[in-house]
Amino acid sequence: MKQKSLLAIVCLAAICLTGCQKSALSEACWKSAKKADSLESYVKEHADEIDMEALKTEAGSAESTLSQQFKATALLCALESQSDSGYPVSSSYADSYLAKVNTEGEEFWKVLEESFYPHDDFQSIFAAADHLDAQTLANLISGIPADSSYAEEFKEAVGKYIRKNPAKTAAAVPDLEKTGYFKDWSLDDWKSAYLYSYTEPDLIQTDTADEAVAYISCLRGSLLPMLEAEFGAEEFQEASELTNENYYSTNLAVTVADSLSLKEADETSLPETIETEGKKIAAFYQNPHTEEFKDSPAPLRLLGDFMLSLPDEEYPQSLADADYYLVLTPSYEYGDFYTDMSGKESKIQQVSSSTSVDLYESATGTFLRHLGNVMEHPSSSIFEDLSEESAEYPELTTSDILSYIYHHVNEPDSYAYLMDHTAGKSELQAGESIILGNWEITYHSCKISQTFDSGMFRFTADEGMQIVRGEFTIANCGTESDTFLPTVYYTDQDPIVRISDANRENYYDSVNALNDSRCLSSTSLDPGESRDGELIFQIPNELAQGTEPLYIVVSLDNRSVFYSLER
């Protein structure tokens, strides 16, 4: 009997010892870490010796003290911060521990005070945290004891979480606003945290498209109305030259981790008309070239400005609520390298994109219509530094243009001037028209001579040159009066017409023959008005008399089409 009792006591002691060793792991590691320069350096040096399973048990056990739970959680987060795989294990423990601020009261803050010195233990815990609700964030901000030694470091860690997780914290903004957290935030702070960051253009990220729509709903419902009331709506919206209505122009595009399920186009069974009245729509930018091009934009983004600008009756509260998807798909091509004002060539290379705009039925992913191609304008705003070795990608098409195209889906002629008609075309036949900007341009034929007469006036070529008179028809297909080939023009708005040599290296501009009544240069036309006339060029004798091909080149920005010039 005595032997059995003694054996039971020994076993019980062994069990207790094992339990104490497990429960004391975080304390032992913490004590050792205090001798190191930092918790980070301690974990980095001893990572292979630390039992993560034991820490997980201690962090999640109700038998552990609150202090042990905190230290075990901090160690788990610090361990995973050493790798590039994120926080697959410690994330849930970080969420769980930080949520204890709602239930543990003063004890929660007391543990932080006792554990804080000499390590800043908070950064990795907040980096690992994944879902902190509004109540938790508000209590973490407002509950910090004023006399605590860690107040500033803790506020900084909470602030980093808020800024790094806009999609997860936007719904908490009204509660955080009540704590006074945002009292020192500037307009730029708000924009870079919840709308768009020039240094981190993919900052706003969600796992699913539904979460992206929910984020936009939060902006529409509470955040933007609050900001517009404080800073003015004009800080987030612009007046459209196209529609004369305001549209959002924040550059917001929410990166979505999943993908859309879309079917291949079947051109044999497309509907003749698209019903838009009473329909809800979601717009996406889908990029298939992410791996092909360095630093290319994300594979899928919800177009924030388009969604923000939608009227309530067209805005879907979820993806399942949408009737249509408007999908933009770029086709990238590398262009020239960036050249600075001094003419020095940098390592930044322009990427042009003729982007397809297509409409799909959301429920089935069925292709409904190709609306055309838009040419996105280049922008260097995605760069933090122009010395960066990266391609310069175009900025997104503005929401007013996309909205106009969608709402006139059954009237393609009304938005033809907004589209890129050079996609898939480079050489045209005489008599074939091209639309560039507000102008439909048709080249017919030409005459080459040393002189020509127009009314009372005779025009003579300069020495060593010949005059080329090209016959053209131009039509204003825009919505406002416009001037063709104005004296002062904008390369991204006004087309230009030139002659090039066979290698397309040397170009000869048109000449404004002021006394030639048929000269089309500086001709102003109203919307829908057209005119026949001619454009005058001068080219060297050797080109005019040679046998090498010559071309009439019609260009807008970095788009060009070529007509063969028959002598």
Side-chain angles (χ1 to χ4, degrees):
M1 178 68 69
K2 290 182 180 179
Q3 288 178 343
K4 290 183 179 180
S5 298
L6 181 60
L7 180 61
I9 292 171
V10 171
C11 291
L12 180 61
I15 293 171
C16 291
L17 179 60
T18 302
C20 291
Q21 286 175 335
K22 286 185 178 180
S23 64
L25 177 59
S26 63
E27 298 287 1
C29 291
W30 209 259
K31 185 177 181 180
S32 298
K34 286 191 175 183
K35 300 175 183 178
D37 294 334
S38 66
L39 183 64
E40 179 184 2
S41 60
Y42 168 79
V43 167
K44 188 173 184 178
E45 182 178 353
H46 298 279
D48 294 339
E49 307 165 17
I50 300 174
D51 187 346
M52 284 192 69
E53 291 301 319
L55 287 178
K56 286 163 59 177
T57 299
E58 192 171 340
S61 174
E63 301 298 321
S64 302
T65 66
L66 196 62
S67 176
Q68 290 168 346
Q69 291 174 0
F70 168 72
K71 292 170 182 174
T73 299
L75 285 162
L76 284 170
C77 296
L79 280 165
E80 290 199 312
S81 71
Q82 306 291 323
S83 70
D84 297 327
S85 58
Y87 299 86
V89 173
S90 59
S91 177
S92 61
Y93 294 101
D95 289 344
S96 177
Y97 186 82
L98 291 173
K100 293 181 185 296
V101 70
N102 303 317
T103 58
E104 300 298 332
E106 292 183 4
E107 185 65 20
F108 177 87
W109 301 106
K110 182 180 178 182
V111 165
L112 298 187
E113 183 69 47
E114 292 174 347
S115 306
F116 172 71
Y117 186 81
H119 302 303
D120 180 352
D121 322 303
F122 310 130
Q123 298 296 338
S124 60
I125 293 180
F126 278 97
D130 192 30
H131 290 94
L132 302 180
D133 60 29
Q135 180 184 0
T136 299
L137 283 171
N139 287 339
L140 288 172
I141 288 292
S142 61
I144 305 172
D147 59 348
S148 64
S149 60
Y150 57 84
E152 290 305 314
E153 287 84 353
F154 194 82
K155 288 178 182 178
E156 180 182 352
V158 179
K160 282 187 177 180
Y161 176 85
I162 291 172
R163 288 177 180 271
K164 287 289 185 181
N165 296 277
K168 296 171 183 174
T169 61
V173 166
D175 293 286
L176 293 175
E177 179 76 9
K178 295 174 185 177
T179 70
Y181 175 74
F182 297 114
K183 61 182 175 64
D184 296 325
W185 274 39
S186 67
L187 176 60
D188 285 341
D189 287 329
W190 283 107
K191 286 183 175 181
S192 63
Y194 288 102
L195 293 169
Y196 179 77
S197 167
Y198 290 112
T199 58
E200 297 180 72
D202 292 330
L203 173 66
I204 318 295
Q205 299 187 25
T206 63
D207 292 331
T208 68
D210 261 328
E211 290 175 351
V213 173
Y215 178 73
I216 300 296
S217 297
C218 183
L219 294 185
R220 286 172 62 104
S222 58
L223 184 52
L224 272 175
M226 180 187 78
L227 296 180
E228 289 174 346
E230 181 176 356
F231 299 106
E234 65 276 5
E235 294 291 349
F236 309 93
Q237 301 179 33
E238 290 184 19
S240 171
E241 296 180 1
L242 176 61
T243 65
N244 295 319
E245 297 176 352
N246 286 347
Y247 68 97
Y248 280 97
S249 56
T250 67
N251 292 317
L252 172 64
V254 183
T255 299
V256 182
D258 61 7
S259 59
L260 297 177
S261 180
L262 303 175
K263 296 180 180 179
E264 292 290 332
D266 181 1
E267 300 289 345
T268 63
S269 58
L270 300 181
E272 292 185 7
T273 60
I274 304 293
E275 181 61 50
T276 59
E277 187 173 355
K279 301 294 185 180
K280 299 180 187 297
I281 183 167
F284 294 91
Y285 189 93
Q286 179 179 254
N287 178 20
H289 308 289
T290 301
E291 299 299 326
E292 181 181 353
F293 290 90
K294 176 180 169 58
D295 297 332
S296 180
L300 185 66
R301 291 181 289 173
L302 181 70
L303 297 179
D305 285 336
F306 179 90
M307 302 300 293
L308 289 172
S309 300
L310 284 175
D312 290 341
E313 62 272 16
E314 295 182 0
Y315 180 78
Q317 294 299 324
S318 67
L319 212 58
D321 193 31
D323 296 291
Y324 300 131
Y325 294 154
L326 189 68
V327 181
L328 277 66
T329 308
S331 177
Y332 290 137
E333 291 184 2
Y334 278 132
D336 297 330
F337 284 89
Y338 171 81
T339 303
D340 62 23
M341 297 297 290
S342 66
K344 182 180 179 181
E345 188 177 87
S346 76
K347 295 181 180 179
I348 296 177
Q349 191 172 18
Q350 176 66 46
V351 176
S352 63
S353 168
S354 181
T355 300
S356 177
V357 183
D358 303 288
L359 193 68
Y360 293 82
E361 184 181 61
S362 61
T364 63
T366 300
F367 177 85
L368 297 177
R369 185 172 297 178
H370 172 59
L371 307 187
N373 286 60
V374 291
M375 177 61 74
E376 297 169 340
H377 295 293
S379 169
S380 60
S381 61
I382 65 169
F383 293 102
E384 183 176 4
D385 184 350
L386 280 179
S387 65
E388 182 180 351
E389 289 188 49
S390 179
E392 182 184 3
Y393 292 95
E395 61 188 13
L396 293 172
T397 303
T398 57
S399 62
D400 62 326
I401 290 178
L402 292 180
S403 179
Y404 187 87
I405 292 170
Y406 168 68
H407 288 106
H408 292 80
V409 63
N410 296 311
E411 310 160 55
D413 288 346
S414 67
Y415 63 79
Y417 71 101
L418 298 171
M419 311 309 287
D420 173 23
H421 297 275
T422 65
K425 292 181 179 180
S426 59
E427 296 192 9
L428 303 180
Q429 299 297 317
E432 190 175 354
S433 300
I434 185 67
I435 297 176
L436 285 174
N438 292 343
W439 296 96
E440 182 179 45
I441 303 166
T442 310
Y443 165 71
H444 299 290
S445 62
C446 74
K447 297 177 182 178
I448 301 177
S449 61
Q450 181 67 34
T451 65
F452 75 95
D453 295 329
S454 177
M456 299 172 54
F457 300 94
R458 167 162 288 190
F459 296 86
T460 303
D462 295 337
E463 185 176 353
M465 307 292 280
Q466 293 280 319
I467 294 174
V468 179
R469 287 187 291 158
E471 288 287 331
F472 289 83
T473 299
I474 60 171
N476 182 351
C477 54
T479 59
E480 297 180 349
S481 296
D482 202 358
T483 300
F484 185 66
L485 300 186
T487 303
V488 178
Y489 66 92
Y490 298 92
T491 56
D492 61 343
Q493 297 177 21
D494 298 306
I496 58 175
V497 184
R498 297 172 293 176
I499 289 178
S500 78
D501 57 17
N503 295 323
R504 300 178 184 178
E505 294 178 350
N506 298 301
Y507 291 85
Y508 303 90
D509 294 328
S510 61
V511 179
N512 191 351
L514 297 177
N515 296 318
D516 179 8
S517 60
R518 300 192 70 246
C519 182
L520 295 172
S521 295
S522 298
T523 296
S524 295
L525 299 179
D526 291 329
E529 189 178 1
S530 65
R531 182 169 298 180
D532 295 326
E534 61 186 20
L535 293 177
I536 312 301
F537 309 86
Q538 286 197 104
I539 62 174
N541 286 331
E542 57 268 24
L543 287 182
Q545 298 166 3
T547 58
E548 291 293 316
L550 295 176
Y551 298 96
I552 297 286
V553 187
V554 185
S555 304
L556 176 62
D557 203 1
N558 56 0
R559 292 169 282 175
S560 297
V561 293
F562 299 84
Y563 293 94
S564 291
L565 190 158
E566 300 297 335
R567 294 177 177 82

